[in-house]
Amino acid sequence: ILWLIKIPKLENSYVLVFGVGGVGSHVVNMLARSGVKRIRIVDFDRVSLSSLNRHSCAVRSDVSSSKVQCLKKYISKIIPHV
């Protein structure tokens, strides 16, 4: 089972992602699912109704919340050690 294989280079990486909108939210999602444990996300924007279709994790109840907090909450539900 491939997803059980741990890759030390990924696990020990520290990745900084600027902007977690349409592309960045998917990047963070895939980095976390790939095994990267330390991810710093930077975005000062909030989730808007018009941008819901682009985010990898935001839902209607997240509108007006911080994009960073929305993504952090989502990732911690599926991969708590990130």
Side-chain angles (χ1 to χ4, degrees), residues 47 57-58 62 65-75:
V47 176
C57 63
D62 293 319
S65 68
S66 162
K67 288 181 181 180
V68 171
Q69 291 303 316
C70 175
L71 191 53
K72 182 180 176 183
K73 179 178 67 173
Y74 175 78
I75 294 296

Side-chain angles (χ1 to χ4, degrees), residues 29-43:
N29 195 347
M30 291 301 107
L31 284 169
R33 291 172 183 264
S34 296
V36 176
K37 290 183 178 178
R38 297 181 319 159
I39 305 170
R40 169 85 39 148
I41 52 180
V42 179
D43 196 318

